[in-house]
Amino acid sequence: MRVTHLTPILNVSDIQQSFRWFETLGWKKGWDWGTPPTFGGVCSGHCEIFLCEGGQGGKGASGYPTTFGPDANQAAEKGVWMSLWVEDVDAVHRHCLEHGIEVTWPPTDMPWNVREMHVRHPDGHVFRVSRGIGAPDEED
């Protein structure tokens, strides 16, 4: 099997709230479907995530304040985890703090040669915002 494209689907409680959250993070609403909309997509560059209100997967935060380290329990997280690869993790961190996005792990140089931080969507989905340490710039 050769996969040509991958689109994750997130179960969300309120699709309009999720559109706004992603827009605050810097993504754009791509489309919606239904009257009222219960399905849609958000886009960043060539990447897209589908949002499904009330279905297609699990959701929910663990109740732990962090998503990594001694005060976390990754197995207790109920939402989807995804890695987003960016050019500047620290710039994304500053943007998140300025816009009130929940940061659950600050930018940290990890032993697996990645600088990463975590943010949590209102429905508990966790995004690992990452950049390889010493990685050359990549073109899509």
Side-chain angles (χ1 to χ4, degrees), residues 5-8 27 30-31 40-50 82:
H5 192 78
L6 174 69
T7 306
W27 290 58
W31 57 277
V42 291
C43 305
S44 177
H46 297 291
C47 298
E48 183 174 29
I49 299 171
F50 288 172
M82 283 189 269

Side-chain angles (χ1 to χ4, degrees), residues 63-86:
Y64 288 85
T66 63
T67 49
F68 197 75
D71 296 325
N73 182 347
Q74 293 176 24
E77 297 292 339
K78 300 170 189 143
V80 173
W81 282 54
M82 283 189 269
S83 292
L84 306 177
W85 296 89
V86 300

Side-chain angles (χ1 to χ4, degrees), residues 87-109:
E87 292 180 10
D88 188 341
V89 173
D90 295 284
V92 173
H93 181 251
R94 286 188 299 275
H95 176 88
C96 290
L97 293 178
E98 290 168 3
H99 291 89
I101 293 173
E102 181 184 6
V103 175
T104 59
W105 183 254
T108 305
D109 290 346

Side-chain angles (χ1 to χ4, degrees), residues 122-133:
D123 284 311
H125 306 299
V126 177
F127 295 88
R128 296 174 77 152
V129 181
S130 306
R131 166 94 176 144
I133 296 173

Side-chain angles (χ1 to χ4, degrees), residues 9-19 21-22 37-40 49-60 121-125 127:
I9 303 171
L10 299 182
N11 180 341
V12 298
S13 298
D14 182 326
I15 197 166
Q16 298 301 331
Q17 177 191 38
S18 289
F19 283 141
W21 186 86
F22 275 99
T38 57
F39 201 79
I49 299 171
F50 288 172
L51 307 174
C52 182
E53 188 172 301
Q56 299 191 15
K59 64 182 175 202
H121 177 275
D123 284 311
H125 306 299
F127 295 88

